[in-house]
């Protein structure tokens, strides 16, 4: 990805005022990282990689070589107008009470890249109880890592975390005693900010933006990694992924969404520690997969999950499809599975996501079609029936009028043995109902641990996985998308979508009519791509 939009130069950097302060805080880095590694289960490392003590020295050395930077936000092209109104209201409310406030994490990265942040995270010097007292509608959520949810208006929630809480959550509480032994004050602002940045996953997420001082703080070289379009862990990747194995999935998600490459060391440990993903809570896996597939970067996410050997752990059925198709780990080609999600990506964005039931329905649809290839006319009639709420006769009539050529490169689509005008209505209807039954059966198989465990049986080198992360409620929600396709309803329309404009609020909430509409568009545009008709 070209990063031409990041129009800054090194001369805009202002070094942090106290070099001695940086030296003492680097002692904190080493102490913190070593303690974190000791607190986690050790995973055997491949030959040629440093042991924990050695690699933390390298972490400190690498950080010492990087000047801490304060960058004028204007030099990075960041303005207050880029922050959404609910977030500005919360920032102003805290600032008016005399608290320091920062935007942190991925939203700062996205602002630098001129991208729309998925959300804005606020970090403040206020205690969480003080945050609650500041806003009329605010509650503390989370036990292990408590934060505040501030409600703004009817629909918006802004997350606020506190410096004091993040310090308590640090796995190396004893580091504060080390600081007290030095000449650095325990409350020095730079060390407090640095300590929070060290708890971040990747350098490009370790930036802090003070919207009032108009300064971006960069202690870890995050701006340089944005310029290089690189995803790199804050500490040694092996240690980082052992600390929190969800970072493996987040690395994939961030790289896919931004089109960034993953640094050599980080990529090495994603591949060799991918098995750790199986230890994650199923709800966490669902959340991470939804971030990958529902926000406009699904195709790239699936490619990276396959490249690093994670797809066979999380989605073995889809991994078996790629393996059976001879799809290589770094393959640049496409196939029907990837094309379906590429077309979904065209309709979505970080601020215009879909409900997770939609991508689950697409996975089930593709599995049914890859298990038993169908005529493109049958697929068209099926998708149109889903779209119009179950009027199969009307769907069949429209299908007979289709002149756009289908994509013949997909093995899931079989050539029609006879011209479409000679296909009887009843034959077409029967095949549509058969496809509908196959899709529902595929959805059942995707939530059956025994079936999933057999998906990669032909590939003994693949890791065993019977992971089912789709809960019952979501399975039922996805099934509702196809409930309208019933033969007895073919003379009437049930919940038909009016108009072609996507209502994104309804799509995100899982409104079944809106979800059916987008599902049908994705399927139809994949089977009958517009570019083929333009070329013909």
């Amino acid at each position: 990805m070209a990063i031409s939009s990041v129009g800054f130069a090194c001369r805009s950097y202002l070094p942090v005022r106290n070099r001695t302060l940086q030296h003492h805080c680097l002692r904190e880095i080493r102490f913190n990282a070593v303690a974190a590694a000791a607190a986690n289960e050790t995973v055997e490392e491949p030959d040629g990689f440093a042991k924990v003590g050695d690699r933390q020295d390298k972490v400190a050395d690498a950080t010492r070589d990087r000047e801490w930077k304060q960058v004028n936000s204007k030099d990075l092209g960041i303005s207050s107008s880029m922050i959404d109104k609910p977030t500005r209201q919360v920032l102003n409310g805290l600032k008016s009470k005399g608290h320091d406030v920062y935007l942190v994490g991925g939203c700062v990265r996205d602002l630098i890249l001129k991208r729309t942040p998925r959300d804005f995270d606020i970090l403040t010097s206020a205690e969480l109880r003080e945050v609650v007292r500041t806003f009329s509608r605010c509650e503390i959520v989370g036990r292990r890592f408590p934060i505040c949810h501030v409600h703004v208006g009817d629909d918006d929630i802004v997350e606020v975390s506190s410096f004091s809480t993040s310090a308590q959550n640090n796995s190396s509480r004893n580091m504060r005693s080390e600081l007290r032994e030095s000449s650095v004050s325990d409350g020095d602002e730079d060390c407090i900010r640095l300590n929070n940045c060290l708890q971040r996953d990747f350098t490009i997420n370790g930036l802090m933006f003070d919207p009032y001082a108009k300064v971006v703080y960069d202690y870890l070289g995050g701006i340089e990694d944005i310029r290089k379009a690189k995803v790199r862990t804050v500490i040694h990747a092996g240690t980082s992924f052992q600390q929190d194995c969800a970072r493996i999935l987040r690395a994939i998600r961030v790289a896919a969404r931004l089109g960034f490459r993953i640094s050599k060391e980080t990529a090495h440990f994603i591949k060799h520690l991918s098995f750790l993903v199986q230890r994650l809570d199923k709800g966490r896996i669902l959340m991470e997969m939804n971030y990958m597939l529902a926000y406009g970067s699904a195709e790239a996410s699936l490619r990276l999950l396959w490249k690093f050997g994670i797809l066979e752990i999380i989605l073995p059925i889809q991994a078996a499809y790629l393996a059976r198709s001879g799809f290589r780990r770094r393959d640049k080609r496409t196939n029907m599975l990837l094309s379906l999600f590429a077309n979904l990506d065209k309709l979505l964005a970080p601020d215009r996501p879909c409900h997770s039931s939609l991508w689950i329905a697409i996975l089930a649809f593709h599995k049914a079609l890859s298990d038993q290839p169908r005529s493109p006319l049958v697929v068209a009639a099926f998708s149109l029936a889903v779209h119009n709420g179950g009027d199969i006769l009307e769907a069949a009539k429209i299908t007979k009028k289709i002149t756009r050529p289908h994509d013949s490169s997909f093995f899931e689509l079989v050539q029609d043995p006879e011209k479409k005008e000679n296909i009887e209505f009843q034959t077409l209807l029967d095949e549509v109902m058969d496809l509908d039954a196959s899709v529902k059966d595929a959805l059942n198989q995707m939530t059956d641990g025994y079936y999933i465990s057999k998906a990669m049986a032909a590939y003994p080198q693949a890791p065993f996985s019977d992971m089912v992360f789709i809960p019952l409620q979501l399975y039922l929600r996805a099934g509702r998308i196809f409930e309208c396709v019933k033969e007895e309803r073919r003379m009437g329309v049930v919940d038909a979508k009016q108009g072609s404009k996507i209502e994104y609020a309804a799509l995100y909430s899982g409104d079944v009519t809106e979800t059916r509409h987008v599902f049908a568009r994705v399927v139809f545009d994949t089977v009958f791509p517009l570019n083929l008709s333009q070329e013909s």
Side-chain angles (χ1 to χ4, degrees), residues 408-482:
S408 58
S409 67
F410 301 143
F411 76 82
E412 294 92 338
L413 302 175
V414 298
Q415 297 296 324
D416 294 307
E418 49 187 323
K419 294 182 179 180
K420 59 179 177 290
E421 58 265 20
N422 295 328
I423 298 178
E424 294 184 1
F425 257 59
Q426 191 57 50
T427 301
L428 185 57
L429 298 180
D430 290 344
E431 291 192 25
V432 168
M433 294 308 303
D434 187 61
L435 174 56
D436 178 66
S438 296
V439 172
K440 292 171 181 174
D441 185 53
L443 189 57
N444 283 329
Q445 292 174 3
M446 286 171 51
T447 53
D448 184 325
Y450 177 78
Y451 185 90
I452 288 175
S453 69
K454 300 298 183 183
M456 298 292 288
Y459 311 95
Q461 72 278 13
F464 172 83
S465 177
D466 59 354
M467 182 180 294
V468 177
F469 62 85
I470 302 171
L472 176 61
Q473 184 179 12
L474 187 52
Y475 157 77
L476 295 173
R477 194 82 172 258
R480 286 186 61 196
I481 296 172
F482 309 110

Side-chain angles (χ1 to χ4, degrees), residues 105-125:
C107 66
V108 183
R109 172 204 71 209
D110 288 345
L111 291 175
I112 293 173
L113 288 169
K114 308 301 184 292
R115 288 174 170 264
T116 302
R118 183 174 56 83
D119 49 35
F120 289 88
D121 293 326
I122 295 175
L123 179 65
T124 180
S125 60

Side-chain angles (χ1 to χ4, degrees), residues 3-9 11-12 74-77 112 114:
I3 314 297
S4 57
S5 60
V6 186
F8 54 87
R11 55 183 167 77
S12 65
K74 290 183 178 179
D75 293 339
L76 296 173
I112 293 173
K114 308 301 184 292

Side-chain angles (χ1 to χ4, degrees), residues 44 46 49 60 90 94 131 135 171 234 270 434 465 512 514 520:
E44 184 177 353
F49 280 83
V90 176
L94 291 168
V131 178
F135 302 99
S171 59
V234 169
I270 288 175
D434 187 61
S465 177
V512 68
E514 201 65 43

